[in-house]
Amino acid sequence: MSVGRTARESGAGYTVTSMEEAGELVGRALVVVVDDRTAHGEEDHSGPLVTELLGEAGFLVDGVVVVPSDEVEIRNALNTAVIGGVDLVIAIGGTGVTPRDVTPEATRTILDRELLGIAEALRSSGLAAGIVDAGLSRGLAGVSGSTLVVNIAGSRAAVRDGMATLGPLAAQIIGQFSSLDI
């Protein structure tokens, strides 16, 4: 067991491990905010929220990159994060149904493997919480090299719910990658 974790026996006879308040570092993350208005100077509301939630989940956030809804710019930001060696890249916004929503298309081009279960969990959790835009999201999740890449709808409610759903899944995947002899 790692330092910074506590364990207890569950009623089902297996050990449950949870993060303590001081917690251990899960990994490094980068946030990509996809929004035309923010890219042109308006205040960013998503980036600080995601940064805060990632910190609470045990991630060190390397930064927030804001890009317009342009497939090439999104792809470049995602590739830069992957090449930079972060464990998790979260792209916020651009997952809807309008012609400007191209985050999934940009993401698909950099993924080695899609993780359909994560994308479906984000949609399902959002719908269960009454967050319609999360349920309508075309967002993807997958792996590029040893980096987990996830799209989340851009509303504050979708971000909050998505991060709550993603946290333990991301920690599991990053743990699997860190245990490999690469």
Side-chain angles (χ1 to χ4, degrees):
M1 186 176 342
S2 302
V3 175
R5 291 185 178 258
T6 57
R8 64 177 170 77
E9 270 312 299
S10 75
Y14 56 87
T15 302
V16 177
T17 306
S18 62
M19 297 291 290
E20 291 179 348
E21 269 188 43
E24 64 185 42
L25 181 65
V26 174
R28 291 175 42 230
L30 185 96
V31 178
V32 177
V33 175
V34 179
D35 184 72
D36 288 331
R37 288 174 290 200
T38 304
H40 292 103
E42 288 190 23
E43 185 178 358
D44 175 17
H45 297 286
S46 298
L49 175 60
V50 177
T51 299
E52 176 186 336
L53 295 171
L54 282 167
E56 290 172 4
F59 286 90
L60 174 65
V61 179
D62 285 2
V64 175
V65 176
V66 178
V67 297
S69 297
D70 176 83
E71 194 171 339
V72 172
E73 296 234 21
I74 298 165
R75 183 174 38 251
N76 288 343
L78 296 174
N79 269 327
T80 299
V82 170
I83 292 166
V86 297
D87 300 296
L88 173 64
V89 182
I90 298 180
I92 303 297
T95 64
V97 298
T98 72
R100 296 289 297 157
D101 293 321
V102 295
T103 301
E105 288 77 13
T107 302
R108 183 170 279 117
T109 65
I110 71 154
L111 295 180
D112 298 324
R113 292 183 171 176
E114 281 192 50
L115 299 172
L116 301 175
I118 291 177
E120 292 308 319
L122 293 171
R123 280 186 276 279
S124 177
S125 174
L127 278 174
I131 306 164
V132 175
D133 60 329
L136 296 176
S137 172
R138 298 179 308 111
L140 301 177
V143 174
S144 180
S146 60
T147 300
L148 175 61
V149 181
V150 179
N151 303 156
I152 296 179
S155 74
R156 291 181 66 79
V159 167
R160 285 190 184 282
D161 183 77
M163 290 302 302
T165 301
L166 179 62
L169 300 171
Q172 176 73 20
I173 291 168
I174 292 164
Q176 287 178 12
F177 277 129
S178 66
S179 69
L180 295 176
D181 293 326
I182 302 176

